Amino acid sequence: GGWNRTDMTTQTGETWIAMQNGKSILISTVNQSWIELRNCGLSRAATGINIGTGTTDAGQYFRNFHAVGALNPIVLRASFVHLIGAQASNGGVHGIDASTTEAARNIFLYEVSLNSNGQPSDGSGMRGGGLGVTGRNVTAKNNADFGIEFGPVAGSNFSTPARMSNFISDNNTVGGTDCINTNGIQFFNSLFGESSPFGTVGTSSY
């Protein structure tokens, strides 16, 4: 998105898509692998974007990508997904609703905002996909539940822990992160503004 409307050869802006009635999915990348979407914004939908449907939908890249003001801004059911310069905020439930099975593994978050989710329902900045998640410069603030809720990851046989660096969590109602039923979570150079950073502690360190 964001193509210059004068020459249509350069991407100098962003393309925003909004749904009139907010009752469906704006973009679906189900049955797609090794694709890239950039300079896009989505709003006013039941689901902003539905990413993948299982382990065969791999290698999807989203750069300068924003999903806001949807019931579920991002629903993630694929592996090797990269969100770079993205936000999943102001959602009715979770900002990113990742699969709690092995479908959503090896997720990469870089400069991602997960803020103000869970209105009117309880929701977290991100839920699920705890194993193999790597995050850097991620913020999760003002969510109705947790900043990031890792797990439960049903039927998992992964040994790779989630790793977050330069993670900032603040003013999330229940806590910074919930880490039940995971194979480990590591936080490096991270800041938790809540009085109780962790909810249910499985295996975690920070």
Side-chain angles (χ1 to χ4, degrees), residues 19-84:
M19 184 170 290
Q20 185 174 11
N21 60 21
K23 294 182 178 180
S24 190
I25 300 170
L26 277 173
I27 293 179
S28 175
T29 61
V30 170
N31 298 323
Q32 301 294 321
S33 295
W34 307 111
I35 63 170
E36 179 175 334
L37 296 177
R38 63 171 64 193
N39 302 336
C40 292
L42 309 174
S43 184
R44 296 173 57 192
T47 297
I49 183 166
N50 186 20
I51 301 175
T53 189
T55 56
T56 58
D57 293 353
Q60 300 188 22
Y61 289 75
F62 303 89
R63 303 177 190 269
N64 190 32
F65 194 90
H66 315 289
V68 299
L71 181 62
N72 300 287
I74 296 177
V75 174
L76 200 161
R77 302 287 185 266
S79 58
F80 295 96
V81 172
H82 296 70
L83 292 169
I84 304 167

Side-chain angles (χ1 to χ4, degrees), residues 75-109:
V75 174
L76 200 161
R77 302 287 185 266
S79 58
F80 295 96
V81 172
H82 296 70
L83 292 169
I84 304 167
Q87 63 173 319
S89 299
N90 301 103
V93 191
H94 308 295
I96 298 176
D97 182 4
S99 175
T100 55
T101 69
E102 296 179 6
R105 67 177 191 266
N106 297 320
I107 309 303
F108 300 90
L109 311 174

Side-chain angles (χ1 to χ4, degrees), residues 8 10 23 26 37 96 111 115 133 174 182 189 201:
M8 293 301 290
T10 56
K23 294 182 178 180
L26 277 173
L37 296 177
I96 298 176
E111 294 187 351
N115 300 328
V133 172
V174 180
T182 71
N189 192 35
V201 177

Side-chain angles (χ1 to χ4, degrees), residues 1-2 5 16 31 43 46 48 57 72-73 87 97-98 105 125 127 131 143 149-150 152 156 174 184-185 203:
R5 290 185 293 176
W16 280 79
N31 298 323
S43 184
D57 293 353
N72 300 287
Q87 63 173 319
D97 182 4
R105 67 177 191 266
R127 180 186 185 276
L131 298 179
N143 295 289
E149 188 178 355
F150 287 125
S156 174
V174 180
I185 300 172
T203 304

